Amino acid sequence: MIATASRYPETYAAWKADPQAFWAKAAEAIDWIRPAETIFDPDQGVYGRWFAGAECNTCWNAVDRHVPTRGAQAAIIYDSPVTGAKRTLTYAELRDEVAALATVIQDLGVRKGDRVIVYMPMIPEAVVAMLACARIGAIHSVVFGGFAAKELATRIDDASPRLVLAASCGVEPSRVVAYKPLLDEAIAISSHKPEAVLLLQRAECAAAMQAGRDHDWAVATSAAKAAGRFAACVPVAATDPLYVLYTSGTTGKPKGVVRDNGGHMVALAWSMANLYDARPGEVFWAASDVGWVVGHSYIVYAPLLVGCTTVVYEGKPVGTPDAGAFWRMISEYKIRTLFTAPTAFRAIKKEDPGAEHLKRYDLGGFRALFLAGERADPDTVKWAEDILGVPVIDHWWQTETGWPIVGDPLGLGALPVKHGSPTVAMPGYDVQVVDEGGHPVGPNVMGSVVIKLPLPPGCLPTLWQADDRFRESYLAAFPGFYSSSDAGFIDEDGYLFIMGRTDDIINVAGHRLSTGGMEEVLSSHPDVAECAVIGVKDALKGEQPCGFVVLKSGVSKSPLEIEKEIVKLVRDRIGPVAAFKVAITVNRLPKTRSGKILRGAMKKIADGDPFTTPATIDDPAVLDEIAAALEGKF
Ligand code: COA
Ligand code: AMP
């Protein structure tokens, strides 16, 4: 470790010396209804459980407990350049909204432990919906608006919700996305049928209501408020699930990442003070979407748990209306900390390389930029540092962990930056790099990035009703360790470098997508004999998907026609967020002699990276055919 004035080395050492004492101390930031009997119980759950025996309520900690001291402080700032709306909710107003909605949800039959799907765009009601579930101990499962009906149906079937909370539409810069027809279709094709839908009608698009099943959000909550109804916070076990968030797995069936109540609050509160250096009363903006883990952790729960003001932004980094959108937000709302994906900064840099828009705004109060969700390329990090003149901090984490695994802890004192590295392991995480046999490798040697069990508070204890899938997906490959499915190395100073995934997950504009899932869609086309989807390097989005298809013999349609149908099929089945725009027909795919498709070699050709022809290849000439087929496509 390099010499530093940061308190990081002793903090990490204190955790390592006594993890239970470390997390017991961190837990003092939270109000408990009943304290934990054991800080960590290794005998509960798949690999142990944090804060066993404790009782708490996440909504209480995020909202109610702040009202006496910060009732008039903004809890949520909503800014929507796509609709022109702006609105602020104070902590007192937020509590009243949440408590009223919670009574409506209860009236619709939802009880502690029931699941509720939330299918909503970036509006304050989405946050209110999540908190109302947390308030009554219901388990929310938020589905991102850019997914198609089929993806929503898969989640409905896995989570078996009693209720769906939805809005009539989302608003993209180019179009209004009507959510209700997608929801109706999803419920029609799912095997599980939710009993009720509570629908928020937005001015941009009115949705048709189904009698008996659908209820009007505004009507029901107004009636609850007029009647002075107010739901109390229901005590839950610290180990009870707060939410299930589905993320891409290696197949078309997404993984339901479970988050508990107690450990989650403790970890998030610790991260706000020590990693993000965010203090109560400050404005903290995570420019993401509530449908992703960044949105769950750092739009909704973490800022509110520590008494910050959070920002719900319904817009983009560029085009709403220009590449100065983020600077306007920072100056207008005195934002101290911004967290976003590197793609957003690449988009701004592309449109405004000289940062001319920045000159129009006063960013005097801005303190730090955090980047995560995909690899932060050094060029973009340097550009952001130069134009902003504040620390730009790359940090690495996953939906599964819920909070950063590796970062530069600004709150403890920043460490020297090495571009291309998200810096060092946070307390709680013993991060190691191992070879295929699970043996640790030396400094600067690439391998699989793994975390020694137990995972810290806040990380997933299991997958929703799928302990075996959890074990198989994460714990089986390297016994005693959690496998991150990322590859990378640790240098001589203990800095981690993440270089890519070891599975078939790709990262498109900070969105995590499964090429396996896309291949399932391509294969379902009646004219496709076999296929392969790879992620091709993209200067803006990091990667973009590309599908290769071999057609069945005797197909009468032209390849061009079929390619168009395939692009549409992925958009219809997975959704626009897959950004699947390129399908290429080839005569055959490169394979090993045992018949395995050589996707890695195809990717290297598409990326223009040097590669050696795999020794096991059946016919090396196929690689030239792939190179020829890719000509002019990217
Ligand atoms: N609802 C419906 N559709 C959505 C959507 C939503 N919530 N979010 C995105 N989409 C659609 C887009 O409209 C686009 O549709 P199109 O194919 O008709 O153009 C498609 O999904 C792909 O979206 P995206 O990959 O985001 O590309 P984009 O061109 O719209 O925007 C960026 C590019 C870089 C501006 C945008 O990706 C961005 O802001 N990225 C920031 C990354 C981020 O927030 N990551 C979350 C994890 S931190
Ligand atoms: P998600 O679960 O959507 O947050 O995606 C997690 C994956 O995104 C990780 O497994 C990495 O592959 C990638 N990722 C996230 N943050 C970083 C980062 N800072 N550097 C490199 N890759 C990252």
Side-chain angles (χ1 to χ4, degrees):
M1 175 53 62
I2 43 189
T4 172
S6 166
R7 285 184 289 122
Y8 168 77
E10 64 260 32
T11 309
Y12 190 80
W15 161 71
K16 212 155 187 194
D18 192 345
Q20 300 214 26
F22 182 91
W23 291 117
K25 178 100 188 86
E28 289 170 11
I30 300 305
D31 283 4
W32 300 93
I33 297 165
R34 201 169 65 173
E37 282 155 17
T38 350
I39 300 301
F40 180 73
D41 181 351
D43 298 326
Q44 282 194 35
V46 178
Y47 66 85
R49 298 301 306 262
W50 290 97
F51 304 105
E55 275 188 351
C56 54
N57 183 282
T58 295
C59 181
W60 169 269
N61 277 280
V63 185
D64 299 55
R65 69 164 168 163
H66 301 309
V67 173
T69 50
R70 357 186 132 258
Q73 179 197 312
I76 299 177
I77 290 169
Y78 167 57
D79 187 296
S80 170
V82 291
T83 62
K86 291 181 183 184
R87 190 179 154 202
T88 296
L89 266 101
T90 64
Y91 269 100
E93 288 164 346
L94 178 61
R95 182 203 49 195
D96 294 347
E97 290 293 332
V98 169
L101 179 65
T103 64
V104 175
I105 297 177
Q106 283 173 328
D107 290 349
L108 292 169
V110 176
R111 297 287 174 270
K112 180 162 138 180
D114 286 343
R115 274 79 57 211
V116 175
I117 292 258
V118 178
Y119 188 51
M120 299 182 74
M122 283 295 290
I123 53 178
E125 289 84 353
V127 182
V128 173
M130 293 162 75
L131 291 166
C133 291
R135 189 172 193 86
I136 60 168
I139 303 165
H140 62 68
S141 188
V142 183
V143 180
F144 178 64
F147 282 125
K150 169 92 178 3
E151 289 290 319
L152 178 55
T154 308
R155 287 154 175 79
I156 290 174
D157 274 335
D158 198 72
S160 55
R162 193 174 281 268
L163 170 71
V164 178
L165 296 173
S168 58
C169 63
V171 184
E172 284 292 285
S174 56
R175 64 190 191 283
V176 171
V177 182
Y179 280 13
K180 187 61 176 10
L182 294 172
L183 175 59
D184 287 339
E185 189 189 338
I187 296 177
I189 58 179
S190 60
S191 315
H192 172 84
K193 308 290 178 198
E195 287 159 28
V197 171
L198 186 65
L199 191 107
L200 182 80
Q201 296 280 14
R202 298 189 75 189
E204 291 72 24
C205 158
M209 302 290 270
Q210 185 175 308
R213 187 197 69 186
D214 299 349
H215 306 264
D216 187 287
W217 180 304
V219 171
T221 51
S222 306
K225 278 189 231 164
R229 299 185 59 213
F230 184 94
C233 293
V234 172
V236 297
T239 50
D240 279 344
L242 168 68
Y243 69 77
V244 177
L245 176 60
Y246 289 88
T247 190
S248 299
T250 50
T251 64
K253 188 171 159 39
K255 292 168 171 166
V257 168
V258 174
R259 195 81 58 211
D260 70 12
N261 278 275
H264 179 239
M265 287 195 280
V266 173
L268 291 187
W270 188 90
S271 74
M272 287 301 273
N274 298 285
L275 174 55
Y276 296 100
D277 193 25
R279 294 161 211 160
E282 291 182 0
V283 186
F284 184 96
W285 179 27
S288 178
D289 188 288
V290 288
W292 307 120
V293 71
V294 174
H296 280 63
S297 295
Y298 294 103
I299 294 174
V300 184
Y301 290 110
L304 298 178
L305 282 168
V306 300
C308 285
T309 298
T310 191
V311 180
V312 172
Y313 174 68
E314 193 179 25
K316 305 268 172 181
V318 294
T320 56
D322 55 38
F326 277 16
W327 322 143
R328 181 205 38 103
M329 290 289 293
I330 293 171
S331 71
E332 187 167 336
Y333 300 113
K334 302 191 172 37
I335 290 165
R336 299 280 278 166
T337 313
L338 169 63
F339 176 169
T340 191
T343 303
F345 265 72
R346 286 197 297 270
I348 298 169
K349 180 169 76 157
K350 187 171 170 217
E351 208 140 291
D352 184 19
E356 294 302 323
H357 285 291
L358 200 51
K359 295 180 185 148
R360 295 192 281 136
Y361 301 101
D362 173 12
L363 265 60
F366 186 48
R367 193 170 54 225
L369 168 67
F370 286 84
L371 298 173
E374 55 178 322
R375 188 175 151 73
D377 54 290
D379 281 353
T380 304
V381 175
K382 272 187 226 144
W383 183 79
E385 282 171 347
D386 289 347
I387 65 157
L388 294 171
V390 299
V392 175
I393 296 178
D394 176 17
H395 57 325
W396 170 66
W397 53 297
Q398 309 183 307
T399 304
E400 288 84 348
T401 65
W403 66 286
I405 309 164
V406 165
D408 190 354
L410 196 60
L412 295 173
L415 295 166
V417 172
K418 294 193 190 190
H419 289 143
S421 167
T423 319
V424 292
M426 290 299 97
Y429 297 101
D430 178 350
V431 180
Q432 301 185 17
V433 176
V434 297
D435 64 17
E436 277 175 16
H439 309 296
V441 297
N444 299 309
V445 178
M446 277 276 282
S448 296
V449 182
V450 298
I451 303 165
K452 194 163 185 294
L453 292 174
L455 292 169
C459 293
L460 81 174
T462 189
L463 293 173
W464 177 247
Q465 292 186 330
D467 285 352
D468 285 344
R469 190 177 181 202
F470 173 67
R471 284 192 193 92
E472 201 183 298
S473 306
Y474 300 102
L475 310 184
F478 304 106
F481 293 86
Y482 163 90
S483 167
S484 71
S485 293
D486 276 320
F489 61 90
I490 297 177
D491 77 2
E492 53 290 342
D493 294 321
Y495 280 53
L496 179 78
F497 290 74
I498 294 288
M499 305 311 289
R501 298 279 302 193
T502 56
D503 57 11
D504 64 358
I505 300 289
I506 57 171
N507 209 308
V508 182
H511 308 315
R512 174 169 157 179
L513 299 163
S514 160
T515 55
M518 292 186 211
E519 287 179 3
E520 284 177 24
V521 177
L522 267 53
S523 309
S524 73
H525 188 285
D527 297 330
V528 169
E530 60 177 345
C531 67
V533 175
I534 57 167
V536 179
K537 253 190 228 166
D538 182 81
L540 175 65
K541 296 191 177 190
E543 281 183 301
Q544 67 165 297
C546 170
F548 293 86
V549 289
V550 177
L551 303 183
K552 288 179 182 161
S553 55
V555 167
S556 57
K557 285 183 203 156
S558 74
L560 194 66
E561 211 176 328
I562 295 171
E563 286 163 10
K564 278 193 188 144
E565 286 175 8
I566 287 170
V567 168
K568 184 170 178 312
L569 200 61
V570 176
R571 194 176 171 93
D572 290 348
R573 294 266 183 89
I574 298 179
V577 69
F580 184 90
K581 304 257 157 73
V582 184
I584 305 175
T585 307
V586 290
N587 288 329
R588 51 193 184 146
L589 294 168
K591 289 186 184 170
T592 62
R593 281 187 284 276
S594 60
K596 274 195 171 165
I597 298 172
L598 290 161
R599 293 179 182 80
M602 294 165 78
K603 176 169 170 54
K604 288 213 165 87
I605 294 172
D607 288 347
D609 286 346
F611 74 100
T612 41
T613 304
T616 51
I617 194 163
D618 186 33
D619 180 356
V622 193
L623 296 180
D624 297 330
E625 294 168 22
I626 295 293
L630 278 161
E631 210 60 45
K633 296 285 184 188
F634 292 97

